[in-house]
Amino acid sequence: MGVTAVAQTAAVALVSRAFGLADDEPVEHLVASAVRRAASITCPTTAAALSAAVTNLLAPLIASDELSEVVRQTVDQLAAVGDLVEYVDDTSVTRRTVLYLGHPRFVLRATGDVLLLGVRPDGVPLVSEDLSLAVERHGLLRRLPRQPELPELLAAEGLHEVNASRWLRAPDVTSPEALMAAYDDRLDRQGPSGEIDGLRILDSATSPLSYRARWRVPSDHSGRFVARRPQRYGSDLWSYVALEQGRPTHLLDLPALTHDRGCDEAWRIQAAIDCRNEKPQQIVVGGTGQGRVALGLFAPPPRWLQRRWEFFGNAGRLQGALFAYEFATTDVMEELQFATKRLWLSRRMAD
Amino acid sequence: MRASDVARTLDDLQSRLGRHFQALRAARDRTHPGAPVFALEHGLTPGDLAVLNDSVSGWIKSARPTQRLWLAFVVYATEIGYRYEGDMYWPTLEASTPGWDRHGDREFVSRWFRQFASDFGGAIPQGRWASHFRRICWPITHAVLPVDLQRQFARLLYDYRGALTGDLLADPAALGAALAARTSHTSRRFQQFAENVELLGHVGAALLSTGGSTAALLDSTLHRIVEDLSAEREARTWLRAAKRSADRVRMVGAGRDRDSPQGGTGKTSNTWQRPTAPVVLTVRYGSEGWQLRLRVPDFTPLFERHSDMAGFIRDGRVAVAGFNGPPRAPGWLMHPGTVLRLHDWPGLDNPLFILERGDAKANGLLADECRTPPSTPWLFRLDAGGVGRLVLSAAVHPGRSYLVLGDDLTASPAEWISPQPSACGGASALRVDVPYSPSADDLALLRAIGCASVTEVAVDPVGVSPSDWDGEGFGEWLAGDEPLLMVSTSHPILSCSFQLDETESVVAHLTDERRAFVQLTDIKPGWHRLRMSFLVDQGAVPVPDAALDVRIREPEPSNEAGSFRDPLQIRVSPLLPTLEELWEDRCHVEIGGPYGATASIAFSLRTADGVAASHRFGPVSLPLDPAAWRRTFAEHLRARRDMQAAYDEATAGVIEVSDPELGVAALEAARSFAPLRFGYRRRASGLSLVLHDAADTGSVPVVMRSSFTTPDVTETARPGADGEYGHPEGGLFEAFLGEYRAIAVLPAPVHDLVDARRAAPALRLGERERSANDLLHLVSVAERWRLATIPGDPFAELACQKVRDALVRRACSLVGGAMWASIEAAHARGERLALDRLDGGLARPGDHAVFRQRVMNIAALATDEEVIDRLGEALGPAKAPATTTRLISSRGTRARPGPGSRFAIGGRWLAEYLLRLASDPGSVLAWSHVDNRAMCDEILRTPIALRAARMIVLASNQEWVWE
């Protein structure tokens, strides 16, 4: 037992090893491991509190202005795949989104390997020491390669199998008009909203190719928009809002029609709005140079799409795209059609 | 086998076993001095064992057990103990040994096992369990790890594998204590096994050993247990993983040593003597302002040192300082992480929890572990989620936000200090946003509101999240962590010197950004202190020394019912309900989950052969409170015929709540495990009762019966030729054997409408005088009908309810007088009773005007949660001071004088007593812990008190369920 002085440069390696990561693993693996560990101790908590805690823990190690954004996105993505479970708590004075630990479970892929999901309390490893040596990290997901009796071994360790079709449940194909009509109907039934402090909207008049630049404080905007509004504590809330000359008249909190997260409904509504405005969001297709094909999006994918692509593909990169996933050539057409039909995307080839 | 062959074989086995156990004792003395020998270590091959079993069976067919062959009988009895289930030792023995009913002798079991202990240093049963199951405790203890406990043991070792150390593996007693402290969510039967801490440790160490001389158990016995345990895949996986962890610990040497019993090398602070984590106090903004909340800590380390505390905490209700509601249910403190809002300021340096049934020692220990901070104000550091965590040191940092809560705060004239609404009665709140560069005036303001100091050096955890962190002087990590810390400052500090406890100090130089990193390595579970000294530039203002209290804890025990971090949880009170308690609504079940989420619920009834009945339904909206669970269980599960049919012979029931997104939470309720109990046997002609006597007191149980028509009259009942109890009209059967008692209801068989009418007969209660004796008698009868085990048959439940309703009406009529009796009679006829009519029976016109009005208001308006408190206020204080337990409840003693002034105890307690008596008198005796005869006297002298309680019960039109 003792205390040891550590050079700042050595600190990253120490932390990586504490998470069971190799020294040369991508920083996103370190961030994801830090989020899972912090969640295992602080959940139930809000995404904002978890993100802030992890950002503070990693700031001395990772010098980046974008660290807090990376951590926030990692929290969102872990909630999307199911390592964390997100629910809206309407019972307190403020509407809060609360994160719980995802139950230890796994999804069996057709190839025989499995996706590991969930976080155990108190930093307890998800699988035993023997299995954990074989865990591979693909983006934010952890996979165990095929081995004899793998599902049975995992079940013995207390992981429940989740049926793949259930985990991948996605919305039915519908038209953008039908989707909008459903939300417009709900919005029409809301009472007057009054002034809303700190409201920001996704401005449909702007280019769908630059998601982050689309966010605006409403000025003279009129119409219906996807919006976020801050709360004193916790993450900004997602909503669908009607504006008249920049003043909100009605507001619908999201999620309103599904059990998805608020952001998942919001991103699909925005895709429908863009399509109806004849500026559909785009999906870009490009080769990876390694016999695979990448699909890129310019807006965040809803949970149901992210899960599917994590399941059938791998997170990758494609120049200009906000998110990209790589697929085998045999799978890519089906994935392209799946996303295009549900988000009304237009296709283009990568430069 | 011929009788002569049997005798010769047993003679041979007797001598062989004698030589074997003698040699084993000698060998054990060499390798593990003092470790016991177990009869299961007989060293017989499966073939030998089959011969022994056949020979003993053959002997018993024609003769009584004989002293000459005692070792053969000890091994035989032990083998039965190895494979029996639940409390069915004797039935298993009888079924395996034809002729036992004629020649068997229970006495030999304990006599010859004692001889085994004396001749060979054999294991001696220990724990409370052993004193209740006087004979069967011997063969079961000598069975080492009976088959029905192996799975749970493997799971326990698996869950604990991360905390294994070299010291623990080398010290079975310490390992046993550590494992026993983590059994709170295992079955009662396993908990009873774990009471023998030494045995638990020996078996655990043996299972985790590499065999040979490292184990204090014969190799062949250990191998056999591992083989049996490995027959099931899950158990095999758990044991393998635990064993590999143990191997790794051995390979790297001693591994992480455990701490001294006090934890750490603590010498300087009282907090260092505490094994339990501090109760986390937090603040959160709610609809009425800032709420003060507490989070229940994990008491496992306390149980490790004081094993009896687990029983007190599991079985007794607990009063919480500052919480205005009723005492929390038994077992509430066994759910670490449970958050409770405190309505009132709980005061300084006060015990937070008081156990209703805890003795002075237990409450003293609990008070030492869990107290409110000793000085005011309380400083909470606010996080990004708006939750404030108590800062023990009361030190603040520039640029950070805090909430200050205290009972004597005054607002200060500064923009960055703002008064806040407080939802904690008796306390006010201030929000403090400390400036980034506080001026001298700012520092003075901070001091004025009680903030200890503004720290100039920040210490922050890096990378791996601590399990608790107050931001200013206390951090907690998990066993196995090697905390990495960053020290940063804006002052001209050149270097820092760090010293962890009494180890050698280390100097770290600050980087250009005025930062230094240090890691605490190989740090033991317990409390530690990291001291920091600072060397500053020449001429700069010196920076005072600082310290960080570090606690290292082991992960909380896993719980299949879900922890507070999981989205789904099944919470029950009592903590480990029996199947009977679950089925008969005698426990509180809550299903926790996110508001608005849904889940499906499955319930299965299991026997030794597998699942006897199972049903899944849903989705059900979450969460489900106890009342909603009661309705759900009755409607979807208890009403099902397949469940009713399977219930009577089921050994366990399992609730499983699941959702593909939220996961799974499961709870198993096993059939009660009591020295004396009734079981049901289903025949074509109907049900009958079997009395299982595992107490072995040497006496014959006395069994009495009461009919459904005269439930307050008892008659002697005798078993039939088959040893079973029955009666064409059913009834309540009560068995007595010394200190033990078993009660069960046997319904009348219902085959047609005539039978159905007979199953719900008219009641005739005997005439009673208006005396304390007769009132108490009615309460005792009600208790009998309340505690009785009920079969799955719905008619039995209806008939019991009818009896209980009649008893409560009779008790209230007896106390209330003629006018009130007419109200009870109208209620029995099903008449609707308006409040005015009830009020008319309360007292003569003009009498008790103020009290009547208050009771009227309660009956008309009070919510379920408020009723007890508000009736307590209306009754007013007692003529004598309330008990200590009541002192920490802020309500109940402040009301104006009322009828309560005629009683020795008033307020809230009296209200609960009266409401129990007025709704479910059978719940009074086990709960009250007072002189009930004196209480009955007082109630008879002040009948308006009970009439008021009964009026509230009748007006509420709800089901009153008492724990």
Side-chain angles (χ1 to χ4, degrees), chain A residues 34 64 76 96 113 124 143 171 183 186 202 226 270 306 322:
Chain A
S64 166
D76 280 349
R96 301 185 336 142
D113 61 352
V124 173
R143 287 189 193 171
Y183 282 99
R186 290 293 292 270
L202 263 177
V226 165
Q270 188 58 46
Q306 190 182 343
L322 195 58

Side-chain angles (χ1 to χ4, degrees), chain A residues 4 37 41 130 156 233 307, chain B residues 238 244 465 481 565 661:
Chain A
T4 310
R37 159 70 187 224
I41 280 158
D130 294 336
Y233 300 110
R307 282 187 177 185
Chain B
W238 294 336
R244 270 195 287 271
S465 174
D481 286 347
R565 301 199 192 287
E661 284 298 322

Side-chain angles (χ1 to χ4, degrees), chain B residues 540-556:
Chain B
V541 179
V543 175
D545 288 358
L548 176 71
D549 283 334
V550 174
R551 179 173 182 261
I552 304 291
R553 70 165 171 90
E554 278 151 12
E556 289 165 8

